[in-house]
Amino acid sequence: MARKQRDVLSVEWVKLELIRTAYATRGGLFSVMDPRMVLGWYLILAIIPWFTHNLTVLAVLFVVAAISVALARVGPLILALFVFGLLTEAVYIFIAAIFFGGDLTTIMALLELTLKLGTISMASMAAFVSLDPEKLSDALLALRAPALLAFAVSYGYRMLPILVEEFNTVFDNYRLRSAPPEKPGFLGFRSIAHWIKMAILAFYPIFLNTAQSVRTTVEALETRGFTYATVDQRGRNIRLAYLKVGALDLAVVAVTIILVAGAFWCGQVWPVYHVDLLR
Amino acid sequence: MNAVYQRAGTLRGATTAGNKPRYDLSNPQKLMIFVLSMALFGLSNILLEIIPDIHIGPVDISVAYFVFIPLTMAALFSPFWVALGAPLGEIIFTDLLMGDFSGLSEIEGFIQMFLAIYIAGSAIRNPGNGVQIAIGALLIVVVDKFLSAAVDLAKVWVGVEEAEYVEGLPESMLLLEGVGFGVDLIISGILFGILPAMWLIPALHGKIEPLMGMRPRVAGEPIPGKMPNSGLFVGAAVLLSIASFFFAFLEAWDVSIGAFEPEFLEEYGNGFLWISVIAIVVVTGLAIMFFRKAQHKDNR
């Protein structure tokens, strides 16, 4: 049934892609796991890179994170944004290298940071792309996070694609109803000013629409006893009853821990620090 | 623009107990404000991802954020809940969902933005007053950018980062920070702060509140969720900024280790890391305690 989309870079496609990301419809390894374990797995890969400056360890961790991105079936939009970010970072480092001339230490330090942040970003992509809003908020609740945060996360994930769509509609409205400036001006100055003005004007209806929908949501939640259901232990038990840690969860976390240990072992055997690369 | 607002029934949370008409927010209303500010500030940040940044040399000419959005909500509803929701929306929408999480500096940014919106929102006592709106918009940028500029300067002072952009001229750092501050003040503070807010806040005042089941704010009555007026709160704010400094230091230290080895390590040692972590925990704990106390005192 999958319709082939030729016009890949349309606004419509971006919206669809955001919805797919938010609802984890692509499947993948982490989407069948227990959400609490996915968060735990994410924390392992998010915290460990900060404790080392060994480039070998970081490179292995980077590869592990890249494999998990593939296993999580991260969509092309998010992936493209990430790769674009990495490329611009590389270009920035390259330009910095030209500007600073001989001073390579700073550049190598930047490179190391890019490796670290890349690992963490990929881990967060893999984890959060695989969790739909319901599961994520239940996991946060089960881990005793404030109910407000759990709700905010799930609501935000759900609303984001709708908000982007709504903004797009309103913005197009303003474009249709207003004439573009006759001359673009110096460096397209007038056109840019016109766009900015429309973007700001579009927020007036957006404010009112969002306020309305937020109220509807919150009141619907309150009639179902949202506040008390999360405070009362019996309500929590009913809501979180479906969370179960299975064999797959334990296996994934165990394999990750082994791989991290392996990364540190590799680091012990072939230690590379960015200071060494300069000698 | 403001017709006199009249309503037949009483609204939830509106009480006339005490000598002044007082307006307390109910729990669902706090949730609504929190979620609304999160959603809208997150949306505006996604828009900003599309707009490219322009660098002229080391000076960055870009829109930092749409100041008028959190300011509008802080002025119309309640500064505290907007200050909590808006930076969280930025982290959840643009950083987690788009896979652009930058580690510890996110926490630094959250604390700075929280303080900025909270202080600026509390400065607007009358949502219809243009001067107060302008002061609020500038306050957001000044508080937020002043704190981050101070962090940058302190990093150099402690010695975790290079000081000299121009060889042999330490003052160049100060100059660049000053220029960056000025650019932010003009673009984020005036173009995307004062000008839209002066139009949007009066335009929405009296229209958006009924949609959320609230009474519009009336000038002169106590603001719900306002900054407590006490020394304790000032203490809490200072402590929070110090905590944000330490987060920034940890991050900078992590980058610079290696680049500054071995003199830096010899001077401070690995203990620096642990001292910073302990300092963050202690300072943040103290700040929250002060803050609770200040709020408690204000409520009585």
Side-chain angles (χ1 to χ4, degrees):
Chain A
M1 277 297 279
R3 193 163 59 96
K4 261 238 157 25
Q5 277 191 321
R6 296 288 171 206
D7 52 334
V8 202
L9 267 180
S10 68
V11 182
E12 208 53 42
W13 178 77
V14 170
K15 272 183 284 187
L16 273 178
E17 198 54 41
L18 277 177
I19 293 174
R20 276 188 211 127
T21 305
Y23 281 88
T25 49
R26 279 207 169 76
L29 173 66
F30 300 102
S31 62
V32 291
M33 279 172 64
D34 184 294
R36 289 169 296 177
M37 294 302 263
V38 176
L39 284 186
W41 172 89
Y42 167 63
L43 281 185
I44 294 177
L45 275 191
I47 291 173
I48 293 279
W50 297 106
F51 287 102
T52 178
H53 294 279
N54 192 330
L55 288 183
T56 318
V57 180
L58 288 176
V60 176
L61 289 178
F62 192 83
V63 172
V64 171
I67 293 171
S68 35
V69 163
L71 286 177
R73 297 195 203 153
V74 175
L77 171 72
I78 303 288
L79 214 54
L81 279 179
F82 170 71
V83 171
F84 179 73
L86 265 193
L87 283 182
T88 40
E89 183 74 28
V91 169
Y92 168 70
I93 291 175
F94 184 69
I95 292 172
I98 294 172
F99 262 100
F100 286 110
D103 188 18
L104 281 173
T105 37
T106 326
I107 290 140
M108 296 316 275
L110 276 177
L111 212 63
E112 187 198 310
L113 184 71
T114 310
L115 209 57
K116 265 182 202 178
L117 289 181
T119 309
I120 294 163
S121 293
M122 283 199 290
S124 77
M125 268 194 282
F128 290 98
V129 155
S130 311
L131 293 172
D132 62 25
E134 204 77 48
K135 274 183 165 178
L136 183 55
S137 73
D138 282 351
L140 286 174
L141 260 191
L143 298 170
R144 304 258 163 207
L148 206 58
L149 179 73
F151 169 72
V153 166
S154 78
Y155 181 82
Y157 268 45
R158 245 171 257 216
M159 279 299 280
L160 178 68
I162 301 169
L163 275 176
V164 171
E165 168 139 18
E166 207 166 82
F167 188 84
N168 195 26
T169 315
V170 174
F171 189 76
D172 281 347
N173 251 319
Y174 274 102
R175 277 180 74 187
L176 283 171
R177 290 190 297 179
S178 63
E182 283 176 11
K183 285 179 210 145
F186 177 66
L187 286 177
F189 172 75
R190 281 164 202 273
S191 309
I192 293 173
H194 181 65
W195 275 73
I196 290 174
K197 201 180 160 207
M198 283 192 301
I200 289 173
L201 285 177
F203 268 100
Y204 178 71
I206 288 287
F207 255 92
L208 295 173
N209 285 357
T210 317
Q212 178 81 297
S213 69
V214 162
R215 183 190 181 180
T216 312
T217 316
V218 170
E219 286 189 343
L221 276 170
E222 287 303 329
T223 44
R224 290 167 61 191
F226 170 75
T227 315
Y228 293 104
T230 49
V231 172
D232 193 273
Q233 187 56 40
R234 286 165 303 174
R236 284 172 55 99
N237 286 347
I238 295 171
R239 186 165 167 194
L240 304 176
Y242 78 98
L243 293 177
K244 281 202 176 62
V245 178
L248 178 71
D249 304 314
L250 293 177
V252 169
V253 172
V255 167
T256 309
I257 290 173
I258 290 169
L259 283 175
V260 169
F264 275 92
W265 180 78
C266 288
Q268 284 286 318
V269 180
W270 302 286
V272 179
Y273 293 91
H274 64 247
V275 195
D276 301 333
L277 291 179
L278 301 173
R279 286 176 195 138
Chain B
M1 193 163 284
N2 281 320
V4 177
Y5 179 77
Q6 284 182 319
R7 193 184 178 95
T10 46
L11 279 148
R12 285 171 296 180
T15 56
T16 43
N19 44 5
K20 259 189 213 168
R22 198 186 161 90
Y23 183 49
D24 286 324
L25 294 170
S26 66
N27 259 348
Q29 286 174 336
K30 287 173 188 164
L31 184 64
M32 278 182 221
I33 297 169
F34 177 79
V35 169
L36 181 72
S37 59
M38 203 186 77
L40 285 175
F41 197 55
L43 176 70
S44 72
N45 271 301
I46 285 188
L47 294 180
L48 280 181
E49 296 272 300
I50 307 166
I51 302 174
D53 295 0
I54 307 165
H55 293 269
I56 299 181
V59 180
D60 177 13
I61 297 187
S62 65
V63 190
Y65 31 70
F66 285 162
V67 167
F68 70 96
I69 289 175
L71 187 72
T72 302
M73 288 178 292
L76 293 179
F77 306 125
S78 144
F80 177 72
W81 291 97
V82 174
L84 218 56
L88 191 71
E90 185 190 348
I91 293 179
I92 289 176
F93 279 151
T94 46
D95 304 336
L96 278 183
L97 199 60
M98 305 295 252
D100 181 24
F101 196 64
S102 54
L104 286 175
S105 56
E106 294 287 353
I107 302 172
E108 183 205 336
F110 182 92
I111 293 174
Q112 290 168 355
M113 200 65 199
F114 170 80
L115 284 178
I117 296 175
Y118 198 18
I119 292 170
S122 305
I124 302 181
R125 284 158 190 286
N126 176 6
N129 186 334
V131 177
Q132 288 181 9
I133 293 171
I135 293 174
L138 287 183
L139 262 181
I140 288 191
V141 182
V142 167
V143 172
D144 182 53
K145 292 296 166 186
F146 174 76
L147 282 178
S148 47
V151 166
D152 284 348
L153 290 177
K155 271 182 202 163
V156 172
W157 182 63
V158 175
V160 283
E161 228 166 56
E162 278 287 1
E164 299 172 4
Y165 284 110
V166 180
E167 204 65 46
L169 197 63
E171 292 86 4
S172 62
M173 168 92 187
L174 206 60
L175 183 74
L176 277 180
E177 286 292 339
V179 170
F181 190 71
V183 168
D184 277 327
L185 213 55
I186 291 171
I187 294 185
S188 304
I190 295 179
L191 284 181
F192 287 89
I194 294 180
L195 294 179
M198 294 268 253
W199 158 72
L200 194 61
I201 294 178
L204 285 175
H205 185 54
K207 291 202 180 68
I208 194 170
E209 295 94 338
L211 281 180
M212 294 178 58
M214 296 172 202
R215 192 193 52 169
R217 251 170 69 175
V218 179
E221 73 177 27
I223 308 168
K226 183 182 79 75
M227 184 170 79
N229 251 342
S230 64
L232 273 174
F233 175 75
V234 177
V238 170
L239 283 175
L240 266 184
S241 349
I242 293 173
S244 89
F245 279 24
F246 274 107
F247 278 115
F249 284 148
L250 268 188
E251 176 119 352
W253 182 78
D254 194 76
V255 180
S256 69
I257 187 171
F260 281 83
E261 255 177 344
E263 319 96 67
F264 185 78
L265 261 191
E266 267 170 27
E267 201 174 329
Y268 294 95
N270 257 319
F272 181 77
L273 183 73
W274 295 112
I275 290 171
S276 308
V277 172
I278 292 165
I280 286 176
V281 173
V282 171
V283 166
T284 314
L286 269 179
I288 291 173
M289 210 178 74
F290 273 33
F291 189 69
R292 282 257 163 101
K293 269 213 165 135
Q295 242 181 356
H296 190 70
K297 222 171 140 187
D298 212 51
N299 278 343
R300 266 186 312 180

